[in-house]
Amino acid sequence: MPSARGTLDWMPAAEHPELLAPPVAAAVGEVDGALVAAIDADLADTAAFCDAYDVALGASANCVVVAGRRGGETRYAAVMVLATDRADVNGVVRRHLDARKISFAPHDEAVGLTGMEFGGITPVGLPEGWPVLVDDAVVEAGEVVIGSGTRGGKLLVTGVDLLALPGAERLALTRRPD
């Protein structure tokens, strides 16, 4: 039966910085009890990861970086949603960030600004001042698997613990897929 822990060997994240991107290693103490597991980097994408390691799709939370623009200013934010859901980026997220225009941050921009690998970006260790918008379903999910900043690792945290991150806010961000 798939679960958040799946078939992975979880270890205290603070004791394994080699599995974390440098900004994540520096900030992982902000998330009580964060665990980390090594994975095959070729299996880092959500569907492949969940299938290979018997992790429930509903226990996998994705982090997307969005860029909101208003009056020539660009503001970035991280949006956390379960893999089974889609964030209402053009509605809820855009209005919450008071942006006239919003989009997913381009690949190179997201990687360069976060210091993390694409496909492993996580809300832990993001640049100072970035909002971390955590969907209600992530908070209520209990244990969730998120990125470690690298494609070769995953973090196991609780959705509630994500709210302790700097700039974290709980919101109703999603709409159920069609």
Side-chain angles (χ1 to χ4, degrees), residues 12 15 22 24 27 42 56 64 78 84 104 117 127 140 160:
E15 295 174 18
V24 178
D42 290 334
V64 295
T84 54
F104 295 107
E117 293 178 6
E140 294 164 7
V160 170

Side-chain angles (χ1 to χ4, degrees), residues 13-30 35-38 110-127 146-155:
E15 295 174 18
H16 294 279
E18 73 279 4
L19 296 174
L20 309 172
V24 178
V28 76
E30 296 171 347
L35 301 175
V36 67
V111 169
L113 292 169
T114 64
M116 301 177 202
E117 293 178 6
F118 196 77
I121 293 176
T122 187
V124 180
L126 288 173
I146 63 175
S148 71
T150 72
R151 291 183 63 84
K154 292 287 187 179
L155 289 172

Side-chain angles (χ1 to χ4, degrees), residues 36-49:
V36 67
I39 66 164
D40 180 335
D42 290 334
L43 299 172
D45 294 332
T46 304
F49 164 76

